[in-house]
Amino acid sequence: MEKSFPIILIAIVILLSAIMVFSSNILYQNLSPYQFEKAIVEDINEEKIEEDHVIPDLYLGYQQIKVKITTGKYKGESFNIKNPMSRLYNVHTKIGDKIVVSIHEENNTIQSISLYNYQKEKVVYMLIISFFLLLILLSGWKGLYAIISLIFTGIAIIFFMMPMLFKGYEPIPITILTVAITTIVTLLLIDSPSKKTLSAILGTIVGVIIAGTISYIASNIAHISGLTSNEAEGLIYIAEHRNVKIKGLTFSAILIASLGAIMDVAMSIASSIFELEKSNPKSNSKELLKSGMSIGKDIMGTMSNTLILAFAGSSLNMILFIIAYGMPYRQIVNLDFLVAEVIQGISGSIGIVLTVPITAIIASRMAKSN
């Protein structure tokens, strides 16, 4: 049974994934009047550009280019379009470049075609495939199981959680359910059913919920609405047309963002305690708990840094902007954006710190239970 369990679980995961994908209409959620198609630059009819004196390798001006559509209903057709280049929007093309164009169509008639960006998906696919191959080569079957769990997590978020949010469900319970499902599947795939796995699952779920709860309470006290990001205007538009409840999305973001780090901590503590019990069966639950906490002290600092640095890294441009403009301390410390980032980073770190004793208590008791 133990040998066949991974196969059974993978079959269940595939079935659940298929149900989520085919029962969801998330891929048909389209509020944009534009369609995006691949194209290739056939010719440059006119070019008036000059190199920017501030940013190296950046050209300002415009191009008149001829593009040939390579996908969609206009495949094979060629169009002449203008390609303006500024510091904010800049795609400098050459003959033969593979690009993406946006087509604005009304009543089956093209109103406008504009250059959107370079085709970049090949780089993304190459990186993903390289990561998967390295994981399998260095980790064997466990690496394969990790890939399956990662894909399942992505499917659960996109094809289960997102459709529920679009249907108007409250973000908090839906996110907790998503986190619980993905945690159970991931840890069962990576480590077969056991008391150790159950300890890690319980520790992860409790730790993530604590992180999200602290974030939710702190956001309410600080009057953080969840509309502090660059996407705020778009979120309001979506909320009007798709009945999405924006309040609570910050909580959801914390749960998803901190899940991986908290899962790592929970499994590390659970594994350590069960290994200690195996090497010294005479030890009691108190001794195991003490050892688990001792190990956890080393983990807390590094994993807390992981989350805080991740949030700081994502905000690096804004931090640079704040320092460059010499904002006074009272303005900085009360910025919605900065307060939201601090709440997210600290809440996730508190979740990690509290996951250590929670998992240690659960694992030490389960290790000595009959």
Side-chain angles (χ1 to χ4, degrees), residues 90-363:
N90 195 289
V91 182
H92 180 224
T93 64
K94 300 183 292 294
I95 295 175
D97 278 355
K98 294 180 179 180
I99 58 173
V100 176
V101 296
S102 63
I103 302 174
H104 184 201
E105 188 182 64
E106 288 183 7
N107 300 321
N108 292 321
T109 303
I110 294 177
Q111 301 298 313
S112 65
I113 300 178
S114 59
L115 194 154
Y116 174 67
N117 215 328
Y118 301 108
Q119 292 182 30
K120 302 176 181 180
E121 63 264 36
K122 285 185 179 179
V123 177
V124 175
Y125 298 151
M126 285 174 61
L127 282 174
I128 292 172
I129 292 170
S130 299
F131 169 64
F132 285 173
L133 288 175
L134 278 173
L135 203 55
I136 293 171
L137 287 172
L138 298 177
S139 302
W141 286 106
K142 286 208 171 184
L144 178 61
Y145 297 153
I147 291 170
I148 294 171
S149 68
L150 182 62
I151 294 172
F152 177 77
T153 299
I155 290 173
I157 292 171
I158 296 172
F159 293 98
F160 172 72
M161 179 178 162
M162 291 300 165
M164 294 295 104
L165 296 180
F166 277 118
K167 290 178 181 177
Y169 288 92
E170 289 290 341
I172 295 173
I174 292 300
T175 309
I176 291 173
L177 179 60
T178 304
V179 164
I181 292 171
T182 55
T183 299
I184 292 168
V185 169
T186 299
L187 293 180
L188 285 177
L189 276 171
I190 293 173
D191 201 89
S192 57
S194 63
K195 292 179 181 179
K196 178 181 72 176
T197 306
L198 180 58
S199 302
I201 289 171
L202 293 175
T204 299
I205 293 173
V206 174
V208 168
I209 291 174
I210 287 173
T213 302
I214 292 170
S215 168
Y216 183 73
I217 294 170
S219 296
N220 282 335
I221 294 172
H223 302 288
I224 300 297
S225 63
L227 298 175
T228 57
S229 64
N230 295 329
E231 298 84 13
E233 187 176 345
L235 283 173
I236 294 172
Y237 182 76
I238 291 171
E240 289 177 344
H241 291 80
R242 287 292 185 268
N243 197 32
V244 176
K245 290 182 171 62
I246 294 176
K247 193 172 179 61
L249 286 180
T250 302
F251 175 95
S252 299
I254 282 293
L255 293 184
I256 299 298
S258 60
L259 176 59
I262 291 177
M263 193 186 301
D264 185 17
V265 169
M267 181 53 86
S268 297
I269 296 298
S271 295
S272 301
I273 288 176
F274 275 85
E275 284 300 316
L276 288 169
E277 197 279 332
K278 188 185 294 183
S279 62
N280 185 14
K282 293 182 179 180
S283 58
N284 57 40
S285 59
K286 286 185 178 179
E287 291 171 339
L288 291 174
L289 174 59
K290 185 178 179 181
S291 298
M293 287 300 299
S294 180
I295 295 168
K297 287 176 184 178
D298 294 329
I299 298 174
M300 287 181 193
T302 54
M303 292 308 296
S304 296
N305 278 342
T306 298
L307 265 189
I308 291 175
L309 290 174
F311 284 114
S314 64
S315 311
L316 190 61
N317 290 344
M318 183 56 71
I319 293 171
L320 183 66
F321 177 83
I322 289 170
I323 294 173
Y325 277 83
M327 291 185 182
Y329 172 76
R330 286 192 182 88
Q331 182 183 3
I332 294 172
V333 81
N334 289 290
L335 280 171
D336 277 355
F337 160 79
L338 190 63
V339 173
E341 290 295 321
V342 170
I343 287 173
Q344 290 182 25
I346 298 299
S347 298
S349 297
I350 290 173
I352 288 175
V353 169
L354 292 180
T355 298
V356 171
I358 290 167
T359 308
I361 292 169
I362 295 171

Side-chain angles (χ1 to χ4, degrees), residues 59-63 81-86 89-91 114-115:
Y59 294 91
L60 306 178
Y62 73 90
Q63 294 176 308
I81 63 174
K82 185 175 183 179
N83 175 32
M85 290 179 288
S86 65
Y89 178 85
N90 195 289
V91 182
S114 59
L115 194 154

